Amino acid sequence: QTVVTQEPSFSVSPGGTVTLTCGLSSGSVSTSHHPTWYQQTPGQAPRTLIYSTNGRSSGVPERFSGSILGSKAALTITGAQADDESHYYCVLYVGSGIWVFGGGTKVTVL
Amino acid sequence: QVQLVESGGDMVQPGRSLRLSCAASGFTFSNYMMHWVRQAPGKGLEWVALISLEGTKQYYADSVKGRFIISRDNSKNTLYLQMYGLTAEDTAVYYCARTISSSTGLGGCWGQGTLVTVSS
């Protein structure tokens, strides 16, 4: 069974930079996994931030960027703002039509 | 504008069945594969199922395989999720989501979700 790993939580200072990662229980993440990142606040539907590793969805601020760092996919928030405080999820395509979400990272801006 | 609207969520007893619907508008529905994603109360997102453009291929998470059926009616611009043998572990908000391009990605658009509660 494929497990997608994310840090449970992260804190960042206003204006600071934070990098969240998304890994696989076995093996490395590559662009073929189409890493995609979402932001979700309580009671709301997810909002797609980054798709296919580093594609930025329409309307998403440039301070959000995606990449592959080593063996993991990464979401970097550069110049964090108060309203970036949220849950962030990644999803990976693991083949044969199957997608797997990570457990999510709660980001606190303080 | 691009919009997905889910419906059909309800409170049902364990073992019962339920069908969810997702009405699409603002884009050519038949040009996109479609997903169902769910989120149990206080938990993370869980991918549930994916259906091909014409509805001929379906893919499921192990947790629902054999109990849920994803389908679509392109003439009605509607996606469905038929759920059988519901258990408490199926209690969640169910979201439909469009692929990003025609046949890849997850999250080109999201619905607002519909709540399914399985309880006796």
Side-chain angles (χ1 to χ4, degrees):
Chain A
Q1 182 177 349
T2 301
V3 176
V4 175
T5 60
Q6 293 186 249
E7 299 86 359
S9 62
F10 251 119
S11 289
V12 59
S13 301
T17 297
V18 63
T19 297
L20 316 182
T21 68
C22 177
L24 276 171
S25 54
S26 57
S28 298
V29 176
S30 71
T31 56
S32 66
H33 292 104
H34 298 282
T36 302
W37 293 90
Y38 310 91
Q39 178 189 56
Q40 189 184 35
T41 52
Q44 298 296 315
R47 171 196 184 195
T48 304
L49 297 175
I50 301 291
Y51 61 91
S52 294
T53 305
N54 54 13
R56 192 178 295 111
S57 289
S58 177
V60 173
E62 291 186 1
R63 65 179 183 274
F64 293 94
S65 62
S67 63
I68 299 289
L69 286 182
S71 62
K72 298 182 178 182
L75 173 71
T76 299
I77 308 174
T78 304
Q81 298 184 3
D83 61 2
D84 295 335
E85 186 161 298
S86 191
H87 282 87
Y88 293 84
Y89 295 92
C90 71
V91 75
L92 300 176
Y93 176 66
V94 297
S96 301
I98 306 299
W99 294 75
V100 180
F101 278 94
T105 299
K106 183 177 181 179
V107 171
T108 303
V109 180
L110 50 73
Chain B
Q1 75 279 21
V2 175
Q3 192 173 17
L4 297 170
V5 178
E6 302 94 337
S7 61
D10 203 350
M11 177 179 288
V12 297
Q13 294 180 329
R16 305 289 282 189
S17 303
L18 195 65
R19 189 178 82 158
L20 306 182
S21 300
C22 168
S25 60
F27 65 98
T28 304
F29 181 67
S30 58
N31 285 355
Y32 290 88
M33 296 176 72
M34 294 293 297
H35 298 265
W36 284 100
V37 174
R38 68 183 181 182
Q39 186 169 35
K43 303 296 185 182
L45 300 170
E46 179 186 14
W47 177 80
V48 172
L50 169 66
I51 190 166
S52 63
L53 299 177
E54 297 180 356
T56 54
K57 296 182 179 180
Q58 304 86 29
Y59 309 91
Y60 299 96
D62 286 344
S63 58
V64 306
K65 195 176 298 181
R67 298 189 302 121
F68 288 13
I69 299 174
I70 185 173
S71 63
R72 66 191 296 164
D73 186 337
N74 287 343
S75 68
K76 295 182 178 180
N77 293 337
T78 302
L79 174 73
Y80 302 100
L81 186 67
Q82 177 69 54
M83 304 183 291
Y84 297 100
L86 288 162
T87 73
E89 288 67 43
D90 296 316
T91 294
V93 174
Y94 285 73
Y95 297 100
C96 60
R98 199 193 73 182
T99 47
I100 293 174
S101 63
S102 178
S103 58
T104 60
L106 194 172
C109 177
W110 291 83
Q112 85 290 348
T114 188
L115 176 62
V116 173
T117 303
V118 183
S119 175
S120 55

